[in-house]
Amino acid sequence: CNLQDLVARDPGAAHGLFGDLLAKEAVTCDEVGSGVIPADPVERAAREATGRLCNRLAAAAEEVVSMVCGIPQVIKK
């Protein structure tokens, strides 16, 4: 399951996922910050919570890689 799917289940509980996700070897997340801002308040909250959680995880991670069309770009190593 991807990060954005976990957060979408309960955006208010996203902060509680941090410790468990940080202990994993790898975490994946689809790009959720591009495009039209959702009109639905729950979808907006999920998108915001996903972005904030990704930022926290990236700051604490040893390595961060962005993958687009199968091409990896190392953001942090």
Side-chain angles (χ1 to χ4, degrees):
C1 193
N2 289 333
L3 176 84
Q4 76 280 354
D5 297 331
L6 292 173
V7 174
R9 293 178 191 158
D10 186 3
H15 64 278
L17 299 171
F18 179 75
D20 290 338
L21 292 171
L22 193 59
K24 299 214 177 272
E25 186 173 331
V27 176
T28 62
C29 184
D30 291 347
E31 172 58 55
V32 295
S34 298
V36 177
I37 297 171
D40 181 87
V42 175
E43 289 181 29
R44 278 196 315 272
R47 182 172 162 168
E48 181 69 23
T50 299
R52 291 185 184 278
L53 184 54
C54 282
N55 284 339
R56 287 182 65 201
L57 288 168
E62 293 177 15
E63 185 173 3
V64 179
V65 178
S66 175
M67 180 80 69
V68 179
C69 296
I71 301 170
Q73 181 178 13
V74 177
I75 307 295
K76 177 181 175 183
K77 186 150 181 148

